[in-house]
Amino acid sequence: MAEFNPTNARAADLGPALRDEATKLADKSVSTGVEAAQAVGKAAESAAQALDQALPMLAGYVRNASQYTSQFADSLRDKKAEELLSTAVTWSRQQPLLTLAGAAVLGFALSRIAKVGIVGAADSASNGGTDNDVTADVWTGGPNAG
């Protein structure tokens, strides 16, 4: 017969507490994202107002981007992190090629950023930090692209 083990009981009690804390942290991150999206929307609207006289067509595009950003922030405001994750999973199942393409682009960008950090640190150490073209060369395939 199985004995009562207080360690197993404590571990079983710890699971729900960890899940609750993770949920709270994820929801806080969502609210931070909402605030950031709202700030971007407000900045874009200000930029559109500044462009109204000089470049009205560009101002219209910037204003549209501002509206979409504000709508995006409003749609996020009322959702919990679990709901957003569920939506993302459903979308990726419906659009597997776009999901893979996005992952490939993100992976490429991250690898280039990591390479810039490695190459930049090595070049900086070897020439006293005077090589300012490494970042541009990595993205454009220049002589320092490695």
Side-chain angles (χ1 to χ4, degrees):
M1 221 185 245
E3 271 184 45
F4 174 75
N5 187 341
T7 306
N8 288 344
R10 280 187 248 139
D13 291 340
L14 190 58
L18 287 175
R19 180 180 169 89
D20 289 343
E21 286 301 314
T23 300
K24 288 177 187 175
L25 182 61
D27 289 338
K28 184 178 179 181
S29 295
V30 169
S31 66
T32 302
V34 168
E35 291 170 7
Q38 287 174 330
V40 169
K42 288 178 183 178
E45 181 59 34
S46 295
Q49 289 174 357
L51 291 170
D52 272 335
Q53 294 297 320
L55 300 165
M57 188 175 223
L58 180 59
Y61 290 127
V62 173
R63 189 166 281 109
N64 283 341
S66 168
Q67 290 170 352
Y68 286 125
T69 304
S70 296
Q71 290 171 357
F72 175 69
D74 290 341
S75 71
L76 286 180
R77 181 178 295 114
D78 301 329
K79 294 186 179 178
K80 298 287 183 193
E82 288 182 28
E83 187 178 352
L84 293 172
L85 180 62
S86 174
T87 301
V89 168
T90 301
W91 184 87
S92 65
R93 286 183 181 156
Q94 293 172 349
Q95 304 291 336
L97 291 177
L98 287 176
T99 302
L100 289 174
V105 168
L106 182 61
F108 173 76
L110 290 175
S111 71
R112 299 309 281 181
I113 290 168
K115 192 172 186 178
V116 167
I118 293 168
V119 171
D123 285 347
S124 180
S126 68
N127 66 14
T130 60
D131 190 4
N132 295 326
D133 296 328
V134 172
T135 304
D137 288 342
V138 168
W139 289 101
T140 61
N144 293 321

